Amino acid sequence: MSAIEIRALCRDYGVGRAGDKRTQALSDVDLTVELGEVRGLVGPNGAGKTTLCKILSTVLEATSGSAEVLGHDAATDAAAVRRHIGIVFGGDRGLYGRLNARQNLRFWAAMYGLHGAPLRLRVDELLERLGLADRAGDRVDTFSRGMKQRLHLARGLVGDPRVLLLDEPTVGMDPVAARDFRSLVGEMRAEGRTVLITTHDMAEAEAVCDLVTMIDRGRVLLTDTPSAIGEVVPRHERVVAGAVPEQTRQALAVLPGVVSVEAEPSGRLRVETADSSVTRTVLRLLVEAGVSDLSTQRPNLEDAYLHLIGDRGMAVG
């Protein structure tokens, strides 16, 4: 039995409304996530990632096809599915701003059937685990966006789920909190939980996911390991250098075998080359120009994303 089994899944919007044009959010999606796996679901805004999570969590019904969680059909056996999943949707949805963090978690723990000492123990454990113990008595509407995301994560774990659905879980988190989140995902994997993460953050997907599925316009493009997906881009090599003199930059731009020369947001220069021999020439020219801040790289998950999908939806709205 797989943790998640999706077959020929379709979801249409606008069907049956007079004058409405039908929009297909998901089209013939097939997806299998094994027990204990951390799966990344990446794609631009509007690709269908959140719609897929909502169907798995029984919030939406599919137009056609099937979606199962631990062998339970999300449409016909929704109650059983809900007993086994934890859900984290970003923003303020599902949090009660006038209550404090502890009260929010106690409410959700009670919804999962916890009472008395087990409820208090579970809530206190999650507040500590997510770094919220010191703010447990503060109203949630005073929390930063990142702190609200931590509380969302605690809420997703409160029912001790076997399958966890995380929709953009690190939005609004500072780098330290995002790093702690990645450690938490590792802990969940070690505990045998299955995790499905939707994200725009390619570094996050590369760091925590066993497999990554790319989705665009409601269709699955491919599924593989983050490193293997990097193989789909042209096998250009890359040299990244800091403090490159303008004269050297111009010389590199016209060098045969150099594919592109671009400035990164950090100010460093990125030089794409056609093969290893050109890379060696680029490195020699940079060293001769006195450049010591040098590194070479191979294509990664972000490169593959941009190659397959382009820059649509990379920014989180």
Side-chain angles (χ1 to χ4, degrees), residues 61-266:
E61 289 188 4
T63 303
S64 61
S66 64
E68 294 184 353
V69 177
L70 298 173
H72 302 287
D73 190 282
T76 61
D77 201 2
V81 170
R82 291 173 192 146
R83 285 196 297 269
H84 294 296
I85 63 172
I87 314 162
V88 177
F89 292 125
D92 293 329
R93 292 170 294 175
L95 300 179
Y96 298 97
R98 295 184 180 182
L99 301 180
N100 63 38
R102 179 173 281 109
Q103 289 168 333
N104 266 269
L105 287 183
R106 284 183 174 179
F107 170 77
W108 287 106
M111 295 290 287
Y112 277 96
L114 292 175
H115 300 284
L119 181 149
R120 293 190 295 271
L121 181 63
R122 183 66 175 160
V123 167
D124 289 345
E125 174 190 81
L126 288 172
L127 289 169
E128 184 68 34
R129 188 174 191 182
L130 273 298
L132 293 170
D134 292 342
R135 298 289 302 274
D138 295 348
R139 281 174 45 144
V140 171
D141 57 13
T142 68
F143 282 9
S144 67
R145 190 176 185 183
M147 290 181 64
K148 287 178 180 177
Q149 276 302 93
R150 294 189 190 200
L151 187 57
H152 270 299
L153 287 167
R155 175 197 163 186
L157 290 168
V158 75
D160 196 21
R162 293 176 62 191
V163 177
L164 197 57
L165 309 175
L166 308 179
D167 191 20
E168 301 289 354
T170 58
V171 170
M173 284 188 179
D174 59 47
V176 174
R179 180 200 63 198
D180 292 343
F181 162 76
R182 292 171 185 175
S183 297
L184 177 64
V185 171
E187 293 172 15
M188 289 188 286
R189 178 196 284 112
E191 293 168 359
R193 303 183 200 275
T194 304
V195 184
L196 178 66
I197 305 174
T198 78
T199 183
H200 287 77
D201 188 335
M202 298 301 105
E204 178 179 281
E206 202 155 18
V208 304
C209 296
D210 301 309
L211 294 174
V212 170
T213 295
M214 285 193 176
I215 184 171
D216 189 29
R217 295 188 174 98
R219 293 182 179 274
V220 170
L221 300 182
L222 80 167
T223 297
D224 214 325
T225 63
S227 59
I229 289 177
E231 300 289 336
V232 305
V233 302
R235 297 305 296 163
H236 296 159
E237 295 190 359
R238 174 182 300 164
V239 178
V240 180
V244 178
E246 181 59 28
Q247 184 176 358
T248 304
R249 174 175 179 161
Q250 293 175 7
L252 291 171
V254 298
L255 185 69
V258 168
V259 178
S260 65
V261 178
E262 298 179 359
E264 295 188 331
S266 64

Side-chain angles (χ1 to χ4, degrees), residues 4-11 13 25-33 39-42 47-62 66-69 74 89 165 167 196-198 213-215 218-220:
I4 296 172
E5 193 76 39
I6 295 172
R7 289 289 173 263
L9 192 69
C10 296
R11 169 67 191 192
Y13 291 99
L26 294 172
S27 178
D28 293 321
V29 171
D30 290 331
L31 186 69
T32 300
V33 181
R39 173 69 63 90
L41 191 64
V42 302
K49 304 186 303 297
T50 296
T51 298
L52 184 60
C53 285
K54 287 182 176 180
I55 290 173
L56 287 171
S57 60
T58 75
V59 174
L60 285 178
E61 289 188 4
S66 64
E68 294 184 353
V69 177
F89 292 125
L165 309 175
D167 191 20
L196 178 66
I197 305 174
T198 78
T213 295
M214 285 193 176
I215 184 171
R219 293 182 179 274
V220 170

